[in-house]
Amino acid sequence: MPRFVPATSRNEPLRSEIRHAYSSDGADWRTRLEGLLAATPNLICAVRGDENEIVLASEAVQRLAGERVLIGRALSDALPEVATDEVIAAIDELRRTGRELHRAEVSVWMRDETGAMTQRYFDLVGRPIRSRDGDVDLVAMFAQDVTELVIARKTAESASRAKDEFLAMLGHELRNPLAPIRTALELLARREGGPARLELEVIGRQVEHLVGLVDDLLDISRIDRGKIELRRETVDLAEVIEAAVEMASPLMAKREQELRIDVPARELWVDGDRARLVQIFANLITNASKYGEPRGCVEIEAKYEQRRIAVRVRDDGAGIPSELLPRIFDLFEQGRRTLDRSMGGLGLGLAIVRSLVRLHGGDVSAASEGVGRGSEFTVRLPAADEPTERTAAPVMRRVEAPTTGAARLRVLVVDDNEDAADLIAVALATEGYETATAHDGASALETAGWFAPHVAVLDLGLPMMDGCELARRLRELPEHALVRLIAVTGFGHDSDRQRAREAGFDAHLLKPIELDDLCDAIEGRSTFDHRIARG
């Protein structure tokens, strides 16, 4: 927000008036100075000596003081509401060092015209006025009332916090019903020769679309609050692009588009978060497919450019109007595409891409020759040195669940959404696990007593006793000390993961979960830090 810092050129006449008036006996100077201070709307005063005696004050300061006498009185006596410890200390420091002081948004409690105490905010500037021998004789104080600006900013910040909290809760509440819907779809899809196959596929696609919208809403909220934390490692960008292509391939297959990839055989190393990098390029490739021509072509090119790696994603479709190009990465910006909403989405994708690229120390740009002539997006990231040691990425595979009685794992599923708990239990039973369900912490502890689970799948948002507290209580019981704990939640912030880790969980899954991912977590084939789901 703007700060009140008087320009030297603007205040030099006033400084000169003060200097001459108090270093000479000229009555004319005093008269001219008094006229100047009476005319200015600014809060200006000058103080002298260790007691900060007020030697002059503008009419604006006198109006604040009301009927009180100012001239000749100590600042702390004449204006105690203004002469806070912070202000007095700043004046003393100025007098000692001779350096100007600047204080922004100094809080002052003072009486308004009704006599009620109100909080006001001022930006202060103090300047030394030196005598002929060079000592600091006077301290001139300039103040600007910025109360309305401060209140407006605080109101906006409060509204922003409320918005972020609402989006986080909205994401959690939307993920809760999405979880049983996805599980039910998986169960139906696994039944050989089941009815309404086409209808199930349509529902499945729309559920995935809704999950993507929820993820975008939560991502933009986290980015806006600076809550995105990168888990950096040395990553081969060629592998990232391959994973991103795999994510976008169903849409490209549906639109019968050709994919051309020009990525050098030698490895393209960057220092970054693998999951977020995949998100960046999957978003750009999906956009290229959505706005490209059906049966058209999407091109991906990657190459080194002066210690940076440039990745270009091109399409031959709708193109971007020249007037939209400067705003293409802004929030909610979809230009004329929003008129018919044929492409869907919230207009958040490119804003998320830009933010994530910048977090990686890179930049992203867009180019187009105009409407109907395709578009090109270029991501440039700092290149990294090839790692001296390589760690193989964990291989995620479908669980072949045990089916013999002695080998069957007992899994306790706890969720206050009864549909979610029951469907997860049914799904796990089809995979060969023995299951039991509970819907709150107390009943979960009771069920664990007779069921003796090997694994407990706990929703973190349980009523009364939340999932973390339930996990701690289970761990405290000797008979359940070794139970494998899996957190299932609609909250995917890094702080939520850390909270689950501290509570003793072995894995953390984000709703709506995939059955294969849950099975991998149950069998211990996924580590806590492995990103099974976007979070």
Side-chain angles (χ1 to χ4, degrees), residues 342-529:
S342 62
M343 296 301 177
L346 299 173
L348 302 176
L350 291 179
I352 293 171
V353 165
R354 178 176 62 179
S355 296
L356 292 178
V357 170
R358 286 178 174 176
L359 284 175
H360 282 85
D363 60 76
V364 60
S365 60
S368 175
E369 294 184 3
V371 177
R373 305 187 67 178
S375 57
E376 177 180 289
F377 288 85
T378 303
V379 174
R380 293 180 174 85
L381 296 168
D385 295 329
E386 181 176 349
T388 54
E389 296 183 6
R390 307 212 187 157
T391 303
V395 177
M396 302 300 294
R397 59 187 181 279
R398 193 172 184 279
V399 171
E400 297 298 332
T403 55
T404 59
R408 295 180 72 190
L409 290 177
R410 292 186 297 276
V411 182
L412 173 62
V413 180
V414 186
D415 197 317
D416 59 321
N417 184 326
E418 295 187 16
D419 288 339
D422 293 344
L423 282 170
I424 289 175
V426 171
L428 291 176
T430 65
E431 294 293 311
Y433 299 101
E434 186 177 347
T435 62
T437 61
H439 307 303
D440 57 59
S443 62
L445 289 172
E446 180 182 350
T447 303
W450 59 262
F451 184 60
H454 301 101
V455 181
V457 179
L458 310 181
D459 176 29
L460 294 187
L462 295 172
M464 305 299 289
M465 182 194 306
D466 67 17
C468 288
E469 178 62 23
L470 175 57
R472 281 189 285 267
R473 294 200 185 187
L474 283 171
R475 288 281 195 226
E476 289 170 357
L477 298 172
E479 63 270 29
H480 302 313
L482 299 180
V483 67
R484 182 169 177 78
L485 298 178
I486 300 170
V488 177
T489 178
F491 293 106
H493 295 177
D494 286 333
S495 59
D496 299 314
R497 295 176 185 275
Q498 182 60 30
R499 180 168 166 259
R501 188 199 305 273
E502 292 171 354
F505 281 97
D506 300 289
H508 182 283
L509 302 181
L510 190 64
K511 293 181 179 179
I513 59 176
E514 297 280 359
L515 181 56
D516 288 347
D517 291 336
L518 179 56
C519 290
D520 281 326
I522 289 172
E523 297 290 339
R525 280 192 284 264
S526 60
T527 64
F528 188 97
D529 287 323

Side-chain angles (χ1 to χ4, degrees), residues 200-356:
L200 287 176
E201 291 177 356
V202 170
I203 296 172
R205 284 195 297 271
Q206 296 308 311
V207 167
E208 294 308 312
H209 179 61
L210 183 54
V211 170
L213 295 179
V214 172
D215 284 340
D216 281 351
L217 276 173
L218 293 179
D219 269 347
I220 206 65
S221 172
R222 295 169 194 149
I223 290 169
D224 193 43
R225 292 180 293 159
K227 296 294 186 180
I228 294 289
E229 295 181 11
L230 300 182
R231 300 179 181 181
R232 290 185 177 273
E233 58 181 322
T234 304
V235 180
D236 184 357
L237 206 56
E239 294 179 2
V240 167
I241 294 171
E242 182 180 357
V245 168
E246 184 178 345
M247 292 178 66
S249 59
L251 177 60
M252 298 184 68
K254 179 182 176 182
R255 294 175 63 81
E256 301 180 29
Q257 292 164 324
E258 177 187 357
L259 176 64
R260 297 175 185 168
I261 301 180
D262 182 10
V263 178
R266 64 195 182 106
E267 293 156 322
L268 305 171
W269 298 104
V270 297
D271 179 36
D273 185 314
R274 183 187 300 271
R276 291 299 183 180
L277 289 170
V278 171
Q279 182 181 351
I280 289 168
F281 293 108
N283 198 317
L284 291 178
I285 297 168
T286 299
N287 264 12
S289 177
K290 284 169 61 176
Y291 295 110
E293 288 294 321
R295 300 184 178 85
C297 180
V298 174
E299 300 179 18
I300 305 171
E301 176 191 51
K303 61 181 180 180
Y304 278 99
E305 291 183 354
Q306 297 179 345
R307 291 297 299 164
R308 292 169 77 82
I309 298 174
V311 182
R312 294 178 172 84
V313 180
R314 305 185 189 93
D315 66 74
D316 55 0
I320 305 171
S322 57
E323 65 273 13
L324 177 60
L325 272 174
R327 309 191 311 275
I328 194 67
F329 293 101
D330 293 345
L331 282 177
F332 308 109
E333 187 63 66
Q334 286 187 329
R336 63 181 182 84
R337 298 167 181 170
T338 58
L339 296 177
D340 59 17
R341 305 298 301 154
S342 62
M343 296 301 177
L346 299 173
L348 302 176
L350 291 179
I352 293 171
V353 165
R354 178 176 62 179
S355 296
L356 292 178

